[in-house]
Amino acid sequence: DRSPIKLTDCNALDFERFLGVLYPAAFHQYTASTLEEWTSILALATQWGFDSIRLLAIREVFPLASPLDRIVLAHKFDIKEWLLDAYREVCERQAPLSDEEAERIGAKDTARVARVRERRRL
């Protein structure tokens, strides 16, 4: 059968980014450079079981992501090793969580951060 395979679980842009890792113009030089680009590669690598590309994407996402981004992404993509330091950074910063940040990490994590910050104040 010569019918094309339909990829209904991803969009063309995410697939193009993923292919940029599989078939780079030069080894160790990827076209992806932003958090958004590497996150879409991480999503497809996780979904499709490409472990080595997942590890590459995790390595590339880490320096691009804020502590809050790392909390969100750690939960979404099961990257437990990011959580402790990311929580610590959010709890130790001067500014409290904004409404948008609280919405991003959810009620449970917002409550955890608030409790730790309150204990630190006392």
Side-chain angles (χ1 to χ4, degrees):
D1 187 1
R2 298 187 61 88
S3 300
I5 298 171
K6 292 183 181 182
L7 299 175
T8 57
D9 53 352
C10 75
N11 64 47
L13 181 58
D14 291 341
F15 189 62
E16 183 180 329
R17 291 172 178 161
F18 188 79
L19 288 177
V21 173
L22 281 178
Y23 303 106
F27 288 107
H28 301 293
Q29 292 182 347
Y30 305 105
T31 55
S33 61
T34 67
L35 177 61
E36 179 186 1
E37 291 167 337
W38 279 110
T39 300
S40 72
I41 292 165
L42 175 59
L44 291 181
T46 300
Q47 181 179 342
W48 294 340
F50 282 75
D51 294 338
S52 62
I53 294 175
R54 175 181 155 80
L55 290 173
L56 169 67
I58 288 170
R59 186 185 76 210
E60 295 294 325
V61 163
F62 185 84
L64 300 172
S66 70
L68 207 75
D69 293 328
R70 290 196 303 265
I71 291 170
V72 171
L73 294 172
H75 287 304
K76 185 172 185 176
F77 298 112
D78 195 30
I79 311 170
K80 290 177 178 58
E81 61 270 17
W82 284 4
L83 286 172
L84 184 61
D85 286 339
Y87 282 131
R88 182 180 300 118
E89 289 178 57
V90 170
C91 291
E92 290 176 350
R93 73 183 194 181
Q94 288 291 96
L97 288 175
S98 69
D99 291 345
E100 178 196 68
E101 291 172 328
E103 192 173 308
R104 283 187 66 207
I105 64 173
K108 187 182 271 187
D109 281 340
T110 298
R112 288 176 180 155
V113 167
R115 278 193 303 274
V116 171
R117 289 175 62 86
E118 183 67 21
R119 281 189 217 126
R120 289 176 50 83
R121 249 188 62 219
L122 298 174

